[in-house]
Amino acid sequence: MNHARYRFKFYFNASHAIYLNGEVGQSHSHTWEVILNVMQVQDNFVLFDEVEKMCEEFLVRYQDVYINTVKPFTTINPTLENLCAYFKEKLQEMLHEKGWLLLSIELSETPSRSYVINVTDEMEAGQSYFNRKSEETLQEIIDRMTTVKMDSMSKGKAHSPEQAAEQEKELKEIEKRVTKPKNRVWRKLIKKK
């Protein structure tokens, strides 16, 4: 299954102060850069402006503010790492609802300092994908990880019977596409690891 992959970049200006040893440091400003690497998992027309608008609406609450005063950072230390982890969770949920899968997020507070969360690495940590003895191609591994992530994101959400049926149909379509012929080049690369 071939999925279209895209990168979106967003910027906002905000200040924050970090707590060290129980004491708050000096407030300082940054021009923050958010880079999202995403994959479209539904076969439909790509409406980039919808994705951009959705992400911008989420990030606008951080524009020109002191982040320490915005929930959940009134109780969570607003470090680069904590901001990135929170943004990942929220943006991942929103993207999923639009038929997109977040592959990675990079948050920069300066041009030379970034924090990156690779969602595929998180999924691999939960399961040992490359230690299997089968001859899987890299694309098959990505397809399986997509299905696992979509399943895990869907659990625990209340759905109407119609939504549940539609989601089940969608997941079955993805599963059908996963079973494509193996690519010999990737199989050889995987065997070398």
Side-chain angles (χ1 to χ4, degrees):
M1 167 174 32
N2 251 344
H3 295 291
R5 297 175 192 210
Y6 301 92
R7 174 176 288 161
F8 293 96
K9 292 183 181 183
F10 304 93
Y11 299 90
F12 65 95
N13 295 306
S15 61
H16 70 148
I18 305 301
Y19 290 89
L20 295 172
N21 301 321
E23 294 190 25
V24 67
Q26 185 171 348
S27 174
H28 56 283
S29 298
H30 297 288
T31 296
W32 301 82
E33 179 182 50
V34 180
I35 299 174
L36 305 176
N37 290 299
V38 298
M39 180 168 50
Q40 184 185 19
V41 293
Q42 292 180 347
D43 289 329
N44 57 5
F45 183 72
V46 179
L47 296 172
F48 295 111
D49 59 333
E50 284 183 12
V51 174
E52 291 168 343
K53 184 178 178 186
M54 177 184 65
C55 294
E56 287 168 353
E57 285 174 359
F58 170 77
L59 293 169
V60 74
R61 71 189 77 178
Y62 299 96
Q63 179 65 40
D64 298 322
V65 300
Y66 178 52
I67 294 173
N68 298 56
T69 64
V70 179
K71 288 185 180 183
F73 300 104
T74 54
T75 56
I76 296 174
N77 198 4
T79 63
L80 175 65
E81 298 80 5
N82 288 344
L83 281 161
C84 190
Y86 178 73
F87 289 177
K88 180 203 75 138
E89 291 302 319
K90 293 302 181 185
L91 291 169
Q92 187 174 38
E93 290 172 13
M94 290 187 282
L95 287 163
H96 172 70
E97 290 174 8
K98 296 280 187 187
W100 294 79
L101 182 67
L102 180 66
L103 300 174
S104 69
I105 181 171
E106 179 175 340
L107 180 63
S108 303
E109 58 183 10
T110 70
S112 62
R113 187 179 323 129
S114 299
Y115 184 71
V116 179
I117 298 175
N118 188 332
V119 178
T120 55
D121 286 347
E122 287 181 346
M123 288 187 285
E124 286 177 8
Q127 295 183 18
S128 181
Y129 289 103
F130 290 103
N131 291 336
R132 295 179 182 226
K133 293 183 180 180
S134 65
E135 295 181 348
E136 291 181 296
T137 65
L138 183 58
Q139 188 61 52
E140 287 170 333
I141 292 167
I142 291 169
D143 292 341
R144 188 165 26 81
M145 290 177 359
T146 301
T147 302
V148 168
K149 189 61 180 178
M150 287 183 68
D151 287 345
S152 70
M153 291 175 71
S154 298
K155 290 180 181 170
K157 291 188 178 180
H159 295 289
S160 70
E162 295 83 19
Q163 289 173 319
E166 182 63 30
Q167 188 176 37
E168 184 65 28
K169 180 182 172 188
E170 204 173 289
L171 290 173
K172 284 183 181 181
E173 285 298 315
I174 291 170
E175 190 176 347
K176 283 182 194 175
R177 288 181 275 177
V178 168
T179 57
K180 285 208 171 188
K182 296 180 179 181
N183 179 323
R184 289 185 183 137
V185 174
W186 283 113
R187 189 178 330 145
K188 287 178 184 176
L189 289 173
I190 298 296
K191 281 185 175 181
K192 288 181 182 179
K193 289 191 174 200

